[in-house]
Amino acid sequence: MTPASPSLEGLGHSLVNNPHRLLIERSLHSILEMASIADDTDDWQLICGALSDLHEALAAFHPHRTTRKVAVFGSARSLPESSTYQLAEEVGREAMASGFDVITGAGGGVMEAANRGAGAEHSFGLNIQLPFEQEPNPYVAAAGDRLVHFRYFFTRKLFFLRESDALVVLPGGFGTLDELFEALTLIQTGRTAPIPVVLLAPPGHELWQGWPQELLTGLERDGLIGPDDRGLLSQASCASEAIELIRHFYRVFHTTRVTDDGLELLLHVPLAEADLLAIRSGFQDLLRSGDFELGESCDDNDRLRPCLQFDFDQRRVGRLYQLIAAINALDLPRCDDLIHPEQRSCLEPQP
């Protein structure tokens, strides 16, 4: 028997000591306001379905937030004997061996291969309910609560970018390109933190060799993207290189946080004054005002981390990636977090 839903009055009492009470109350208020304008069954099916997607995805990812995840995109049509399938399987295997989990769309082809390489214990599948049946591939179907069935593409896309710490994009069709450009749009506009986006194809495959660079050159020539925006993309020649690019991206850099005063780059280890002086000398064009300052800030796990604070010019995201690369290249004392960039939070010392 399905348990009865709590009354609104009972729900209110349960929120008394919740640290997020104000945000929860605001969300409930929005739902009540929608009740006065959404008088069509389709409206409420949309609202209910979207909230169910959010609930089920949050439940799936919440226990696994301390491990970084690599999303692998590519064609569902790639056959097991193809070089693209085999490369995707190697990406999954290399990611798992480096301590990352792998996220795919749960389908066949490249998605199946990446889940196969990573194994069910290190895989997440974000399946989508379609008018025609799309069965999850057998490697992620065994992942239990790590497999989420989404009703809507927009909620599915939200969690691909919300939970992924890196993207590896293999050859694919319209869906793959849509996911690639969606990610670039959100990164360029600051709606998601900087993450590595790696283009990867088998030797001899020309998908990433020609048109992406021609497209970027044309967009830059017409002033439609910034001169440094092509730096949002990286290319790798093999699976191990792709995963190493991702590991290096998080060598010192942890994530970003937007504050009322600008941007914070949260780091694994503090920078020296000499490092700060070099940054001030080489990256003044990133500033809208003021200067770079060293400080501390809490990450999503309430862990206090050293950070670099500055009033960031959001039009310079490509240059921000160059700053992150410069920080990651610094010769810093070894510590647990530097050894384990695959962990969002090293809660205990690692062997």
Side-chain angles (χ1 to χ4, degrees):
M1 178 182 295
T2 303
S5 299
S7 67
L8 289 178
E9 182 179 355
L11 182 61
H13 288 306
S14 70
L15 295 178
V16 170
N17 295 316
N18 192 298
H20 307 297
R21 177 182 174 182
L22 293 178
L23 290 173
I24 297 170
E25 289 179 347
R26 191 180 303 170
S27 301
L28 293 173
H29 181 70
S30 295
I31 291 176
L32 292 174
E33 284 191 329
M34 284 190 286
S36 66
I37 57 174
D39 56 1
D40 190 283
T41 300
D42 288 343
D43 294 338
W44 283 103
Q45 285 179 338
L46 169 64
I47 295 166
C48 184
L51 290 174
S52 294
D53 279 356
L54 295 176
H55 173 213
E56 292 163 18
L58 288 171
F61 282 107
H62 186 266
H64 309 284
R65 284 275 168 80
T66 59
T67 300
R68 294 196 187 276
K69 300 165 187 67
V70 178
V72 181
F73 296 141
S75 176
R77 302 182 184 187
S78 297
L79 299 176
E81 60 270 21
S82 71
S83 57
T84 298
Y85 184 104
Q86 294 164 15
L87 181 58
E89 184 176 352
E90 190 176 352
V91 169
R93 189 163 52 246
E94 290 278 350
M96 180 273 294
S98 293
F100 296 100
D101 284 339
V102 168
I103 305 177
T104 77
V110 164
M111 296 173 279
E112 175 184 297
N115 289 137
R116 181 178 185 176
E121 291 184 357
H122 297 279
S123 286
F124 288 86
L126 307 189
N127 197 31
I128 183 70
Q129 297 176 7
L130 297 172
F132 52 90
E133 191 67 22
Q134 174 173 293
E135 291 291 334
N137 68 68
Y139 304 101
V140 78
D145 58 6
R146 288 168 169 250
L147 173 63
V148 184
H149 297 276
F150 285 86
R151 296 155 185 83
Y152 299 112
F153 274 105
F154 74 90
T155 48
R156 182 177 183 243
K157 284 184 175 182
L158 168 65
F159 276 89
F160 264 125
L161 269 297
R162 188 177 193 272
E163 300 296 338
S164 297
D165 299 279
L167 307 180
V168 177
V169 188
L170 285 93
F174 292 150
T176 300
L177 296 178
D178 176 57
E179 288 157 339
L180 170 61
F181 282 104
E182 174 86 6
L184 292 175
T185 299
L186 293 175
I187 292 169
Q188 187 198 48
T189 56
R191 301 309 298 173
T192 191
I195 61 173
V197 180
V198 184
L199 304 180
L200 178 64
H205 199 296
E206 298 183 355
L207 178 63
W208 306 129
Q209 299 305 313
W211 71 265
Q213 296 306 319
E214 293 174 4
L215 174 63
L216 293 173
T217 298
L219 292 174
E220 181 183 341
R221 182 186 61 240
D222 294 341
L224 302 176
I225 63 172
D228 302 304
D229 282 343
R230 64 176 63 230
L232 305 184
L233 286 166
S234 301
Q235 282 194 253
S237 59
C238 62
S240 60
E241 182 184 357
I243 299 304
E244 184 53 39
L245 284 171
I246 294 166
R247 284 181 55 82
H248 186 73
F249 191 88
Y250 293 108
R251 177 180 175 269
V252 181
F253 171 72
H254 177 70
T255 191
T256 57
R257 183 182 298 279
V258 178
T259 70
D260 292 340
D261 297 321
L263 188 70
E264 296 176 341
L265 295 192
L266 275 63
L267 309 173
H268 294 313
V269 291
L271 302 181
E273 283 295 329
D275 301 326
L276 178 62
L277 292 175
I279 290 169
R280 285 174 171 171
S281 173
F283 292 93
Q284 283 291 315
D285 57 314
L286 285 179
L287 302 174
R288 289 191 306 178
S289 63
D291 209 341
F292 295 95
E293 301 293 342
L294 300 179
E296 291 183 319
S297 186
C298 287
D299 64 16
D300 291 338
N301 295 297
D302 293 326
R303 174 178 174 176
L304 191 63
R305 291 185 178 272
C307 70
L308 181 68
Q309 303 165 330
F310 55 103
D311 185 12
F312 175 53
D313 181 351
Q314 186 60 53
R315 296 169 297 180
R316 308 305 304 273
V317 174
R319 277 286 283 161
L320 179 64
Y321 270 62
Q322 294 176 20
L323 172 59
I324 292 171
I327 290 173
N328 284 325
L330 293 173
D331 183 16
L332 296 168
R334 288 170 65 85
C335 74
D336 192 58
D337 281 353
L338 289 184
I339 299 170
H340 293 278
E342 76 282 358
Q343 293 295 314
R344 283 183 178 169
S345 177
C346 291
L347 300 179
E348 298 178 358
Q350 301 288 333

